[in-house]
Amino acid sequence: MLTDKSGCRNVVIVGGGPSGLAIALMLAKRGWTEITVLEKRKTADYYEPDKAFNYQIDGRGQKLLDWLGLTPNLAEISVSSQEFYLTLIQPNGKRKTIKLPFINPNRKTAYWLPRRTFVSLLYEEIERNWQQQITVLFEAKCIELKQKQEQLQVIVESKNSELMSFTPGFVVGCDGLNSIVRQTLNDWEKPDHHRFEMQYFPSASSGLRYQVLTLPPQFPLSNQLDDQSVCTMAYAIRGKTVEGQKKISLGLLPMKNPDEPRTANIITYPNHKIWTLKTNEELYRFLEQSFPQLSIRDIISESEITRFVNSQGGVFPVPQFCSGLHFLLKSDQTFSAILLLGDAVHCFPPDIGQGVNSALEDVYILQQVLEETQDDLLLALPLYEARRSGDIEALIHLAQTTFPWQYNQNWFRRKLWDINFLIGLLLNRFLPFFFSPPAFLMIQDYQLSYQEIWHQNQRTNQRLFIFSVTLLGILFVLGFSFNV
């Protein structure tokens, strides 16, 4: 329990991913102590093939890292957006390498790195400088959150199935989409209140199925074994088959460490043929038929094929959020507090690259609010919710509408998006005071809030509609006059 604003101690953070470790570092730097992070994985750098995806930490995420003094460390272990090269490999082996255009020259440099590398960066900072304030418990799973005698009690199961109990004054739920913290708060709510119940906004990428193939750090790009991949290069490897349920591509993002395994992303509809393959040989043959430009059996080990066949992979979630971000348990003299951050409160497919960046921005805005209120949680948490809720709702709308067709689910819809994007780009270039840039570009401007981006996007769509109707009306009148 906390007694006043000076009680900056006794914190339990459920979830030791990016947002959990980030808020632990933020609180420690602000002078908080007795911070415990509960993480169900074995180590900070534990390799999970199904979650071996890459992050792009942009200017929005870097606001917190700048405050923590970690952006130079990030740059050392990442591939910068200014050095992002993509090689497209066609089924016949033809290649084309391009440097992705830096559309916004004022955009802050972003950095690409694997998820576990970023988590390790945060954990190593704790080990170096904050061990006295922060304890990270691995293989520790929160199984229950209770109210007991006007106090919060967190029940934790350790790696040996032993139960531990914590009585913190402040609990932070950073435990992802299936957050036990949020689910508990939803159970505690009155029947007619729905603050901690997720609201859903389906998008065209919701429900897409994904799986990751782990490849060697340097793998052959052709049947010539000395033709090796480059770790800092991104690759788009096109499949030969054009049938809808067999069409497939491999996408590889860059990484700095030449000894790190490469990961190839496969993203398809749930009814794709690859999900029906049940044996190693079936998968090997399918990949060989799909990618004749690659020496599949030299690249993908038998053990990796076995893992892929037996794994369920993952599914892109429906964009969703809850309106409640905090909970206060008060008594006459003391109080306890609960806060939700990151995927526990807002979750969506990776279409706009804002998952980790929005979570880091959550922590950064909380830091600003704590500074304004001198760490008084009774003042800070309601203010944080008031300040952040609108951004979170806008973020979900942006995730729902901005770029859901990028996975080539539908050729026609993707082309329509491309055309709409180019029209928006041209209108903004020639009439910048009337039409905003496309939302996909505005998101790259970390100085704009998600609310500002969404409002500008909606205003531009309304003006574009009026412009189109007016133009059609003029053409109709001119056509009618000509016929008369």
Side-chain angles (χ1 to χ4, degrees):
M1 301 287 283
L2 301 175
T3 56
D4 54 39
K5 66 182 180 182
S6 64
C8 301
R9 62 181 63 201
N10 199 8
V11 184
V12 168
I13 300 169
V14 183
S19 58
L21 296 182
I23 189 172
L25 285 167
M26 183 273 284
L27 292 174
K29 187 173 179 179
R30 291 198 57 80
W32 289 62
T33 59
E34 298 177 33
I35 303 166
T36 302
V37 181
L38 307 175
E39 172 52 47
K40 62 184 179 181
R41 296 179 180 86
K42 294 180 179 180
T43 60
D45 63 350
Y46 181 67
Y47 183 70
E48 294 179 281
D50 290 339
K51 293 187 178 180
F53 36 77
N54 280 31
Y55 286 150
Q56 184 196 46
I57 310 297
D58 63 18
R60 201 175 298 275
Q62 288 174 50
K63 289 188 289 188
L64 177 68
L65 298 179
D66 288 345
W67 186 82
L68 292 171
L70 291 177
T71 303
N73 306 61
L74 174 71
E76 288 179 7
I77 59 176
S78 309
V79 176
S80 81
S81 56
Q82 297 184 28
E83 300 168 345
F84 192 105
Y85 288 85
L86 172 69
T87 294
L88 176 65
I89 306 178
Q90 299 291 354
N92 60 7
K94 289 185 177 180
R95 302 179 201 173
K96 182 179 181 181
T97 299
I98 59 173
K99 188 178 189 301
L100 292 192
F102 211 58
I103 298 176
N104 181 359
N106 298 318
R107 174 187 175 188
K108 192 172 183 179
T109 300
Y111 296 98
W112 291 91
L113 76 169
R115 179 188 186 277
R116 70 169 181 166
T117 303
F118 183 61
V119 173
S120 295
L121 168 69
L122 299 176
Y123 180 69
E124 288 164 6
E125 174 66 9
I126 291 174
E127 290 289 283
R128 271 194 309 269
N129 298 313
W130 303 103
Q131 288 191 64
Q132 298 301 313
Q133 292 88 352
I134 303 172
T135 301
V136 182
L137 300 180
F138 292 104
E139 296 185 87
K141 180 181 179 182
C142 174
I143 61 172
E144 190 175 6
L145 188 63
K146 299 193 223 179
Q147 298 183 40
K148 186 175 181 180
Q149 296 177 350
E150 298 184 334
Q151 292 183 327
L152 291 175
Q153 186 178 28
V154 180
I155 310 299
V156 180
E157 184 179 61
S158 70
K159 60 181 178 181
N160 299 319
S161 297
E162 297 176 354
L163 296 182
M164 298 181 290
S165 177
F166 296 84
T167 309
F170 186 24
V171 173
V172 186
C174 299
D175 48 340
L177 173 61
N178 298 311
S179 168
I180 189 172
V181 180
R182 189 192 69 249
Q183 291 170 4
T184 300
L185 292 177
N186 193 40
D187 292 340
W188 289 351
E189 278 276 271
K190 296 177 181 178
D192 57 340
H193 292 188
H194 305 282
R195 293 180 63 243
F196 300 105
E197 186 175 310
M198 282 297 201
Q199 302 174 48
Y200 298 93
F201 299 83
S203 74
S205 60
S206 303
L208 290 180
R209 201 165 164 185
Y210 67 89
Q211 177 65 288
V212 174
L213 271 173
T214 302
L215 310 181
Q218 287 86 37
F219 61 90
L221 294 173
S222 66
N223 292 320
Q224 300 177 17
L225 297 182
D226 60 343
D227 182 16
Q228 301 288 310
S229 64
V230 178
C231 67
T232 55
M233 177 74 70
Y235 294 95
I237 305 173
R238 301 304 187 202
K240 180 180 179 180
T241 308
V242 296
E243 294 178 46
Q245 293 186 359
K246 294 183 179 179
K247 186 177 180 180
I248 195 169
S249 296
L250 299 177
L252 291 84
L253 291 168
M255 55 181 60
K256 188 72 169 284
N257 185 354
D259 299 320
E260 184 89 10
R262 296 301 297 269
T263 54
N265 298 315
I266 295 174
I267 303 170
T268 73
Y269 277 125
N271 62 349
H272 193 277
K273 180 177 176 60
I274 197 168
W275 311 122
T276 68
L277 305 177
K278 302 303 181 184
T279 69
N280 290 12
E281 190 58 31
E282 285 178 340
L283 181 55
Y284 265 134
R285 288 179 180 175
F286 175 79
L287 293 174
E288 286 175 328
Q289 293 169 2
S290 298
F291 303 104
Q293 68 270 51
L294 299 178
S295 181
I296 292 294
R297 293 179 193 258
D298 293 321
I299 294 174
I300 308 174
S301 67
E302 185 82 24
S303 61
E304 174 59 12
I305 288 288
T306 300
R307 184 203 63 78
F308 189 97
V309 168
N310 293 324
S311 173
Q312 295 298 313
V315 177
F316 285 174
V318 174
Q320 56 194 277
F321 78 100
C322 67
S323 60
L325 308 186
H326 83 286
F327 177 88
L328 294 172
L329 180 62
K330 299 179 184 179
S331 65
D332 292 338
Q333 301 296 325
T334 61
F335 72 95
S336 300
I338 301 176
L339 177 68
L340 298 173
L341 291 174
D343 285 353
V345 71
H346 49 76
C347 190
F348 43 89
D351 309 353
I352 57 176
Q354 290 300 298
V356 67
N357 291 298
S358 61
L360 294 175
E361 190 177 56
D362 286 348
V363 180
Y364 180 75
I365 291 175
L366 177 62
Q367 188 282 133
Q368 290 181 316
V369 170
L370 290 173
E371 180 68 21
E372 292 174 23
T373 59
Q374 298 181 333
D375 295 277
D376 184 347
L377 292 181
L378 285 174
L379 298 176
L381 297 190
L383 178 59
Y384 171 78
E385 181 171 314
R387 187 170 296 179
R388 192 59 172 158
S389 291
D391 267 347
I392 288 174
E393 183 172 358
L395 169 63
I396 296 304
H397 290 307
L398 289 168
Q400 180 189 29
T401 60
T402 298
F403 197 11
W405 295 103
Q406 61 187 278
Y407 309 102
N408 298 312
Q409 314 97 297
N410 183 297
W411 179 88
F412 179 70
R413 295 298 298 266
R414 172 60 190 264
K415 291 302 177 185
L416 283 180
W417 185 91
D418 290 342
I419 293 169
N420 183 64
F421 180 83
L422 289 173
I423 290 173
L425 205 61
L426 291 171
L427 288 173
N428 171 251
R429 181 165 297 179
F430 292 108
L431 298 169
F433 299 105
F434 197 71
F435 294 106
S436 300
F440 187 73
L441 298 184
M442 286 194 288
I443 289 170
Q444 299 174 9
D445 186 349
Y446 68 96
Q447 295 176 320
L448 289 175
S449 71
Y450 293 124
Q451 284 189 84
E452 290 171 326
I453 295 168
W454 179 243
H455 289 158
Q456 288 188 39
N457 182 67
Q458 291 296 95
R459 185 179 60 193
T460 290
N461 288 340
Q462 292 170 358
R463 289 175 175 177
L464 184 58
F465 176 77
I466 294 170
F467 176 80
S468 300
V469 170
T470 302
L471 182 60
L472 288 173
I474 292 172
L475 292 175
F476 176 78
V477 171
L478 289 176
F480 180 78
S481 301
F482 179 79
N483 289 331
V484 173

